[in-house]
Amino acid sequence: MSGTGARGHRGGGRAGGTGRTGGGTPGRGPRRTGRPTRRPAQVAEPIDVHDPDGVRLQKVLASAGLGSRRACEQLIAAGRVSVDGQIVTELGVRVDPLTAVLHVDGMRVQLDSSVVTIALNKPVGVVSTMHDPEGRPSLAQYVANREERLFHVGRLDADSEGLLLLTNDGELANRLAHPSHGVPKTYLVEVQGRVRESLGKQLKAGVELEDGTVTVDEFKIVQVASHASLVEIVLHEGRNRVVRRLFDEVGHPVDRLVRTRIGPIRLGDLRPGRTRVLSKTEVGSLMTAVGM
């Protein structure tokens, strides 16, 4: 130790160099190792989500259909519930059901009972609009008994059938329709001609249309006959008549097109022209899919 101090003293005007780290030569600065300097990780400050005038969190969850209050207390204690992005494990926390954003196991919990989302199996010949000036059959006739002002999410051309969503949640409708969220849609397509196995690879690589390239996420041959084929495809495109134009381009015109799924919502056994109200769990899964 004394030797080190003597060398520092003999440095005269360089005595300040003894405060440097890295063992560099005096006067030349610290030795560089080529490794970036690590900074201490920034730890986010916890957010106080407790609202003294609110409702107990377990009661809010139970009212949203997540189970009994006891079951909801267990969800909270297990760290499976977040409020406004903050994991909550204390049972005494109160929240405002009108403003709080709740997730259970990462899935959004729908708290607003006035919000409704409906699945419709749109028949062939119906246009995807709430009112058609030409007098063609429209979506309005299938929800005429609803008091809410409903928006249809996306479109299906008049010749196509299958799953269509209607909701009075404007933000959900906009997000589901916006291509940036890339919500996948599944179609069962009957096309002309015998489909070859290599078609899936071609569609996944991308097919150039007049308004840009279309890429299919998944492709499966369901059935093949000499004159026609049944295939299932998944894509997140929302352009007008994109599926029909895609198969026209590859030489297999579409005879029948049925949309069977939008994100996590399936058409299931819903008959043409019939509707059903989505459960809160289904709506929550939709909201989660678009980052709400």
Side-chain angles (χ1 to χ4, degrees), residues 58-234:
Q58 56 266 42
K59 182 178 180 181
V60 174
L61 293 173
S63 299
L66 272 296
S68 65
R69 289 196 193 183
R70 176 58 181 162
C72 293
E73 288 175 354
Q74 293 173 346
L75 291 175
I76 297 169
R80 297 168 60 185
V81 180
S82 70
V83 180
D84 297 337
Q86 183 78 31
I87 296 294
V88 174
T89 56
E90 298 178 8
L91 300 181
V93 170
R94 293 175 176 269
V95 298
D96 184 350
L98 298 180
T99 60
V101 176
L102 273 57
H103 288 82
V104 175
D105 293 334
M107 188 177 74
R108 176 71 177 267
V109 179
Q110 174 58 265
L111 300 177
D112 190 347
S113 59
S114 67
V115 173
V116 62
T117 301
I118 296 171
L120 164 69
N121 187 344
K122 187 192 85 66
V124 172
V126 176
V127 293
S128 294
T129 181
M130 298 306 291
H131 174 71
D132 182 60
E134 299 178 20
R136 294 173 296 178
S138 66
L139 304 177
Q141 69 189 77
Y142 301 103
V143 290
N145 61 331
R146 306 294 311 190
E147 297 180 355
E148 304 89 356
R149 183 188 178 192
L150 297 169
F151 308 91
H152 57 88
V153 179
R155 309 177 71 87
L156 277 173
D157 62 75
D159 296 328
S160 300
E161 57 191 296
L163 182 61
L164 196 65
L165 299 179
L166 301 100
T167 182
N168 63 343
D169 187 333
E171 182 181 2
L172 177 61
N174 289 334
R175 291 199 180 205
L176 284 170
H178 201 282
S180 65
H181 294 288
V183 178
K185 303 174 183 66
T186 304
Y187 300 87
L188 198 58
V189 192
E190 183 180 324
V191 300
Q192 298 176 16
R194 188 178 183 89
V195 169
R196 61 194 184 280
E197 290 286 346
S198 59
L199 180 60
K201 185 176 181 180
Q202 179 184 357
L203 296 179
K204 290 180 180 179
V207 175
E208 190 69 28
L209 301 181
E210 66 272 13
D211 54 353
T213 303
V214 176
T215 303
V216 169
D217 301 325
E218 297 179 30
F219 174 87
K220 181 174 70 174
I221 297 176
V222 178
Q223 187 176 351
V224 176
S226 59
H227 63 284
S229 303
L230 186 64
V231 300
E232 182 182 77
I233 65 167
V234 179

